[in-house]
Structure formats: structure tokens, C-alpha cells
Amino acid sequence: MTGEARGPGPRRMDVDALLDDPGTRIVVCCGAGGVGKTTTAAALALRAAERGRRTVVITVDPARRLAQSMGLEELDNTPRPVPLPRPVTAGSLDVHDGRVPRAGRADQGSLHAMMLDMKRTFDEVVREHADPERARQILANPFYQTLSTSFSGTQEYMAMEKLGQLRQSGEWDLIVVDTPPSRSALDFLDAPERLGRFLDGRLIRFLSPAGSGAFRLLGAGMNMVGSAVGKIVGAQFLSDLRSFVAAFDTVFGGFQERAERTYRLLRAPGTAFVVVAVPDTDAMREASFFVKRLAEDTMPLAGLVVNRTHPLSKGPSAGLSAERASTAADTLADTHPLAVAALRLHAERVRRRERELRLCERMWATHPDVRVTEVAARPEDVHDLSGLREIGSALAGDER
């Protein structure tokens, strides 16, 4: 943050140092929905690739604009290569599109992008952990089809599952993860445990065959109680659920094991969380909760991105307060309409910036060690690689 008229702000997050560090293998972009996580993740991935790293970005944005901004017609569950312009040498500097200095590495990196398909990812896990006949039974089960597409937490769980798959493949230097647009940023960390609790819950264990591994019958009278449950939820639903549980029993342990392994990966050296927010009360509060949770879980926080801010432009009026601008506008109200309009606009901009700074200062007071970078609001959405590159430059502080 610039800290206009308020003294120095927090320490700046050094984005380029983070991306250039070969020890950084995973960057996870988290935050409340609608704060620009997807664009931030894509911009970080592009900047890393253009600085010489083999990078893949996982997005969960259902909109086509991100694919189009990367020069692709669509994204799916398989990483697709993003065509990067080759740098043009200009003197001693390598320049992309004649605009952006290549301050990083000597070798050209690469960028791949994919959009999470949670059902396809869920299906892949089932096929890996079950024999072909058991997998066929699970995949065809109506209850599984509902669970794999709409159960709360499935998307977050599968984002972590896909992250684990990509990391295990060893094909990329850096994986950038755009977390799902959940109601709460904490859903990304809580989803695996929540899904595990459901699959190991009392109803599921009650419906399991006696003595069948992870699921155990709670007691006698299953048929009588099952009949009562069937009257409530429907006999066919209960039958589908029982069939699912019987088939899924052998897969459940694999799910738990993979969730725990990926959770450990998120805490390991080489993983960095980037929390994304916008300067409004709800988003900053959500960011504060998430920063606190990361600290409690000893997960590595790289810093906070404050998106869509409105820093004041430098110029003759830069030091003019909102009060003085409003007073001057009132004085000139009957004589200089254009000057009045300009002064009132300036006053509104100053007040908006002051509101943003107050919100940020509360964050700094609560989390004084958090590093911060700021991205100013753009007049339009990002629609091409140049736009993503500009966001990357802003994240790295090139625009200051």
C-alpha cells in the first residue's frame, strides 16, 4: 500500500523473489468470492513462466474469459499449453512485446492452464482406488453422481486432489492454485475434513454391511430402522445410498490418506499462500480470518494482495484534502462549474482512498507481520495476455 499522508505502511510482498525462488513449488491464492483470485493466480503464473519457470495454473473459474485471455478457446481438466510470445532482445534486456523487461532468468519458461472438473477428478480417484467392477458400481450409482457434483465441499476437496496429482507428477517447477469461489475462504482448508466426516458419519456407518472395514454396523435392528428411514427419504434413495456405501467402503481409506497427504503438502516448505482481498469490510474481515487460520495451522503465508484499490494520482492536487476541495467547490459554485465538478470529484476520490486506507490499517494492526502488495482497479476486465501481464507488473510493484 502506498500509505498516502499516513506514513509508511506494512512491508511490501516481494512477488518476483517468491516466483524466482526455485524452492517455491506451490502458490495457493485464497480469499472470499469475487475478489479477483482467478485473475491474480493467472497473472502470477504468467509472470513466473515469463521469468523462466515451467508453470501450471489450476483455475476454478467457469467463465470463458480466462481461457480467452490466455489465447485458448477453452480450458478443461487436462493442463493445456499457453502460447507465450518469445522475448525480443533489445540491447542487454529481453523484452516481451517490446514492453516488459525480462528481469528474471535467462531461459524461457512455459505456461500450462487447466480448469478443475470436480466430477472427472472424483472419477479418477475412484478408478485408481477400486477394482474395475467396484469402480463401475460406484460411478453408476445415483447417490455418487449427486455427491460428486453438488455435495458441499466436493469442489474444494477436488481442487486439493488435483493439486496433489500435479505435484506428484513432477512435470512443473511451479503450481499456482486458484481456490474455489466459496462463501468462505476457509472452506478450502475445511472441505477435506468435512467430506471425510460425512463419509465416516453415523448414517453412513449404519448403512454399511457389518464388519466391513472402515464402516461398521452400529447395532441390531438395522432392517427395522432402515425401513423407517426409507419412509422419510424414499426407498429408492436409501437403496442407492446403501449400494454406494457397500461399493465405496474399499475406496474410503484412500480418500482419507490422500486428503491427509495433500494437507501435509500445504504445510510443507515450498508452499506459499497468497491471500487476496478487496478494500471492503467483508473481504478484509474474511482475509483477516484466513491469515489467522494459516498461522494457527502453521501454513506459510507469502502475503496479502489488496485488489481493486484507488490510489490517488500524482499531480498538483495530490496533497489537497477532501475538506479543502469541498470548501473550494462551494466557494466557486456560481462562477466556475467545471472547476467545481473537478474539485468535488477529487474530494470523493480522496474520501474513497481514506476509507480504503482505514480498512487496511485495521488489517495491519491485527497482522503487523503480513507483507502486502496492491493492485489498482482497472477500467475493464482482463481479456488478453497483455492485461494479465499488467496485473503481474502491478503485483510485483513495477507500476510504483
Side-chain angles (χ1 to χ4, degrees):
M1 301 295 287
T2 58
E4 293 113 350
R6 292 172 179 262
R11 294 176 297 168
R12 186 178 69 82
M13 179 170 61
D14 192 337
V15 168
D16 284 345
L18 174 69
L19 299 179
D20 289 346
D21 184 355
T24 303
R25 305 302 302 274
I26 297 170
V27 173
V28 182
C29 295
C30 296
V35 297
K37 294 194 303 287
T38 298
T39 301
T40 299
L44 289 172
L46 174 61
R47 191 168 182 90
E50 292 189 331
R51 296 177 69 84
R53 303 201 71 184
R54 293 174 301 147
T55 307
V56 60
V57 56
I58 310 172
T59 179
V60 294
D61 186 359
R64 288 181 174 270
R65 64 177 178 81
L66 182 66
Q68 293 168 347
S69 72
M70 292 183 168
L72 303 173
E73 294 205 0
E74 62 179 358
L75 293 174
D76 57 23
N77 209 48
T78 302
R80 293 177 176 267
V82 177
L84 299 178
R86 289 197 172 275
V88 179
T89 301
S92 61
L93 290 177
D94 284 338
V95 180
H96 284 283
D97 296 343
R99 297 176 59 192
V100 180
R102 208 173 128 79
R105 303 158 184 262
D107 299 327
Q108 173 81 346
S110 64
L111 177 61
H112 285 69
M114 61 168 290
M115 185 171 71
L116 178 72
D117 182 331
M118 65 176 179
K119 185 179 187 311
R120 183 173 164 187
T121 302
F122 212 147
D123 292 351
E124 291 171 356
V125 177
V126 169
R127 291 191 179 98
E128 181 177 343
H129 285 275
D131 61 75
E133 177 57 25
R134 188 67 59 89
R136 186 194 65 76
Q137 294 174 9
I138 295 172
L139 297 178
N141 185 279
F143 182 82
Y144 168 78
Q145 293 169 7
T146 299
L147 175 70
S148 62
T149 56
S150 58
F151 184 79
S152 175
T154 302
Q155 190 176 42
E156 289 85 355
Y157 178 94
M158 290 306 147
M160 295 181 70
E161 172 67 31
K162 183 56 69 173
L163 167 61
Q165 291 177 6
L166 293 175
R167 183 68 181 88
Q168 191 172 12
S169 75
E171 294 183 38
W172 290 278
D173 299 330
L174 179 65
I175 303 168
V176 182
V177 183
D178 161 35
T179 55
S182 309
R183 180 190 59 80
S184 167
L186 296 177
D187 287 349
F188 180 68
L189 296 180
D190 291 336
E193 183 180 358
R194 186 166 65 248
L195 186 61
R197 283 200 307 266
F198 168 76
L199 293 175
D200 197 26
R202 290 185 176 182
L203 175 61
I204 297 295
R205 287 187 281 119
F206 175 79
L207 294 171
S208 305
S212 60
F215 301 120
R216 291 176 174 80
L217 186 64
L218 292 184
M222 176 179 176
N223 290 335
M224 181 177 64
V225 177
S227 176
V229 172
K231 291 179 181 178
I232 299 172
V233 301
Q236 185 59 51
F237 176 85
L238 186 60
S239 175
D240 291 339
L241 181 56
R242 280 176 170 164
S243 298
F244 164 76
V245 169
F248 198 75
D249 183 34
T250 58
V251 183
F252 176 70
F255 267 73
Q256 282 190 312
E257 178 185 351
R258 293 168 78 100
E260 291 168 1
R261 185 168 65 236
T262 303
Y263 202 77
R264 290 194 299 270
L265 181 63
L266 293 177
R267 302 176 66 179
T271 298
F273 282 84
V274 173
V275 178
V276 185
V278 292
D280 69 41
T281 302
D282 291 340
M284 294 297 281
R285 183 185 298 116
E286 188 80 11
S288 180
F289 288 156
F290 198 82
V291 169
K292 181 180 178 182
R293 172 66 181 276
L294 290 175
E296 291 172 350
D297 290 1
T298 62
M299 291 187 172
L301 172 66
L304 170 70
V305 173
V306 184
N307 239 340
R308 303 175 196 149
T309 63
H310 299 84
L312 300 177
S313 57
K314 297 177 181 179
S317 63
L320 186 63
S321 69
E323 291 73 18
R324 290 181 62 189
S326 296
T327 299
D330 292 340
T331 302
L332 300 173
D334 298 328
T335 56
H336 296 81
L338 290 179
V340 169
L343 287 165
R344 295 200 188 284
L345 179 60
H346 175 77
E348 177 54 34
R349 287 174 173 170
V350 171
R351 293 189 182 100
R352 178 176 59 190
R353 183 57 174 170
E354 289 176 344
R355 288 194 297 269
E356 293 179 353
L357 289 173
R358 283 195 296 271
L359 285 170
C360 292
E361 284 173 349
R362 292 175 195 164
M363 171 71 78
W364 305 336
T366 307
H367 307 285
D369 296 329
V370 173
R371 295 177 180 269
V372 179
T373 191
E374 176 180 3
V375 178
R378 260 51 180 177
E380 60 183 16
D381 287 338
V382 173
H383 59 272
D384 56 20
L385 284 176
S386 294
L388 284 177
R389 193 174 291 117
E390 289 177 3
I391 298 295
S393 295
L395 288 165
D398 292 348
E399 297 184 353
R400 290 183 176 82

